């Protein structure tokens, strides 16, 4: 693989050749694991370099427990998996993670049978809008039959299951507890990475690891732009939008019978969506062990507190007291954890510039989103599919720039959704936060879409298909949808939180 065609040592990999080829993936999270899985089909060896150490002891205990008690219910297995502690390198793992339908389809294409394995592990499957009590733009949603489902288990659970599948391939090797501190090569080509044992400090012994391809999947805190500059290459242009949004999360057990199928309740969670006029948000979602993760969000200067008493008081800022009432009576099971780094950042490696062949960026190292939209895991999977397709394309040589453009394209819809919404929020800053005339036209149409989504099943189905990355944004302009948006009224919706499902079928067409 190369940037301009001068060096073809990796290009044969795109057409099936792999003899002697070595790929290094920096970062062992979802994006890195899935990239390694794809590259194993095009290289003799793939090495994943991860700065953390994975909780092998907890994983071994979970597997042993499953072997000793094969009759255990899925929920019990899920509880064992939930014991896997969040890794230091993924601080946002203590907060909600949802796997959108577009990501589910991509994961199934990469790892056939994975979704069945995830469900067997107890990951909650939540139908939208049927299973959630949702408020947005001053209206409660009708809880008509689901047109899409999301999985809401812990990040640790899904990462563990993917890691087990990927590392079962003997071509893939994991190097843990090791930091990547630089790139080898020059401005024309990357030839490997410079490593150091974690904990050795700045003066620790460094070692070289040669590679034909290096993929940066090190996440939001990537240092690759600095590494490229050290080689004499150009760092990518960065586009940023930052609303200053912050999170605070805490685990609860429902003791009221309000949430959870096991309690006989008809609702699985709550969701209050913030907007420019009402900046406070909350999401309460089920985890695989039967508990619920409650997360508040607020903007710069009015961030949710991490003090336990103040955390519950913060719920009074929401537009309705239903979540505060639930939280007041539920049983708290964890401390409150905060998270502040929520800016949208897109690194434009696809643009022309002096950049070396043999280097790619993917996942959050390429494009990271405000986590409130729940897109990260889905985009990691969609990016791996894009990598697979670009390397296997028989019509085009997989040059570095061509593959990098394919990876960026895989994240474009998620960026358009996240950045497009965030630039309208009060206090948004960044070089990509400018609202253009075209944004105002699209914004007028999308406001009408959002006004009709809570009560109109046709518009709601299209809106959810786009938000979950299952269908392109053009689905919002299909003739049937456009007629309802442009000429139809905003249909009636519940005046109070709908704690039971809608009695009618809603005309939504059922499960997608």
């Amino acid at each position: 693989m190369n940037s301009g065609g001068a060096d073809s040592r990796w290009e044969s990999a795109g057409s099936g050749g792999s003899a002697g080829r070595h790929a290094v993936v920096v970062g062992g999270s979802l994006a890195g694991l899935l990239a390694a899985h794809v590259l194993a089909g095009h290289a003799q060896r793939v090495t994943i370099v991860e700065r953390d150490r994975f909780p092998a002891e907890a994983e071994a205990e979970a597997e042993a427990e499953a072997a000793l008690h094969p009759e255990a219910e899925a929920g019990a297995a899920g509880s064992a998996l939930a014991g896997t502690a969040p890794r230091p390198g993924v601080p946002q793992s203590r907060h909600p993670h949802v796997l959108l339908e577009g990501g589910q389809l991509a994961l199934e294409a990469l790892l056939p049978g994975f979704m069945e394995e995830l469900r067997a592990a107890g990951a909650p499957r939540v139908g939208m809008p049927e299973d959630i009590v949702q408020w947005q733009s001053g209206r409660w949603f009708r809880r008509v039959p689901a047109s899409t489902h999301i999985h809401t288990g812990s990040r640790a659970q899904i990462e563990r299951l993917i890691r087990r599948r990927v590392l079962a391939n003997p071509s893939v090797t994991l190097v843990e507890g090791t930091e990547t501190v630089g790139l080898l090569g020059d401005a024309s080509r990357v030839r490997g990475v410079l490593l150091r044992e974690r904990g050795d400090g700045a003066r620790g012994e460094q070692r070289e690891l040669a590679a034909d391809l290096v993929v940066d999947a090190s996440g939001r805190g990537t240092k690759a732009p600095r590494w490229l500059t050290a080689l004499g290459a150009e760092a990518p242009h960065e586009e940023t939008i930052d609303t200053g949004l912050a999170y605070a999360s805490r685990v609860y057990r429902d003791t009221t019978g309000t949430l959870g199928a096991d309690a006989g309740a008809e609702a699985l969670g709550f969701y209050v969506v913030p907007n420019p006029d009402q900046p406070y948000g909350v999401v309460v979602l089920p985890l695989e062990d039967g508990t619920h993760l409650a997360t508040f969000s607020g903007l710069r200067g009015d961030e949710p507190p991490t003090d336990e008493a103040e955390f519950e008081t913060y719920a009074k800022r929401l537009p309705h007291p239903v979540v505060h009432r639930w939280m007041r009576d539920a049983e708290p099971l964890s401390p409150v954890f905060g998270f502040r780094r929520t800016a949208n950042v897109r690194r434009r490696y696809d643009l022309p510039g002096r950049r070396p062949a043999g280097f790619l960026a993917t996942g959050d190292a390429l494009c990271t989103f405000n986590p409130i939209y729940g897109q990260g895991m889905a985009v990691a999977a969609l990016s791996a599919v894009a990598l697979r397709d670009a390397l296997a394309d028989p019509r085009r040589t997989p040059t570095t720039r061509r593959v990098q453009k394919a990876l960026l394209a895989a994240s474009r819809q998620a960026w358009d959704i996240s950045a497009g919404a965030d630039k309208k929020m009060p206090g948004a800053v960044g070089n990509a936060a400018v609202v253009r005339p075209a944004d105002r036209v699209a914004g007028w149409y999308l406001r009408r879409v959002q006004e009709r989504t809570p009560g109109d099943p046709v518009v709601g189905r299209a809106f959810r298909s786009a938000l979950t990355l299952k269908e392109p944004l053009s689905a919002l302009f299909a003739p049937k949808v456009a007629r309802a948006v442009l000429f139809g009224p905003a249909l009636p919706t519940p005046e109070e939180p709908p704690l039971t499902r809608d009695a009618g079928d809603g005309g939504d067409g059922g499960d997608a």
Side-chain angles (χ1 to χ4, degrees), residues 28-31 33-34 54-67 74 76-87 90 93 97 107 111 114 117-118 120-123 153-168 174 288 377:
S29 196
L30 267 69
L33 288 167
L34 294 174
F54 292 110
E57 182 177 343
E59 294 185 6
E61 289 177 357
E63 291 176 357
E65 182 71 15
S79 181
L81 292 176
T84 302
R87 295 190 292 114
V90 192
S93 64
H97 279 74
L107 273 174
L111 304 170
F114 180 80
E117 184 178 356
L118 183 61
S154 66
R155 163 71 176 258
Q157 181 192 54
I158 192 169
E159 187 177 290
R160 174 185 180 275
L161 293 174
I162 291 175
R163 185 165 62 247
R164 185 170 62 185
R165 288 283 295 268
V166 171
L167 295 183
L174 173 65
E288 59 267 30
M377 294 196 299

Side-chain angles (χ1 to χ4, degrees), residues 13-149:
S15 56
S18 61
R21 307 293 186 254
H22 180 214
V24 168
V25 178
V26 180
S29 196
L30 267 69
L33 288 167
L34 294 174
H37 173 72
V38 170
L39 292 172
H42 299 273
Q44 185 178 38
R45 294 186 300 132
V46 179
T47 302
I48 303 171
V49 180
E50 170 55 47
R51 68 188 298 272
D52 287 339
R53 291 193 179 276
F54 292 110
E57 182 177 343
E59 294 185 6
E61 289 177 357
E63 291 176 357
E65 182 71 15
L68 288 172
H69 302 286
E71 75 285 357
E73 296 180 0
S79 181
L81 292 176
T84 302
R87 295 190 292 114
V90 192
Q92 69 271 32
S93 64
R94 296 185 183 276
H95 304 274
H97 279 74
V98 299
L99 182 58
L100 304 178
E101 189 167 0
Q104 296 171 37
L105 296 172
L107 273 174
E108 193 65 23
L110 294 164
L111 304 170
F114 180 80
M115 294 311 301
E116 181 178 349
E117 184 178 356
L118 183 61
R119 287 193 289 271
R125 185 170 181 260
V126 178
M128 304 290 285
E130 184 175 20
D131 293 332
I132 293 289
V133 180
Q134 181 172 344
W135 183 98
Q136 184 172 356
S137 300
R139 308 182 75 201
W140 294 102
F141 278 52
R142 289 182 60 199
R143 292 178 54 195
V144 297
S147 66
T148 189
H149 286 81

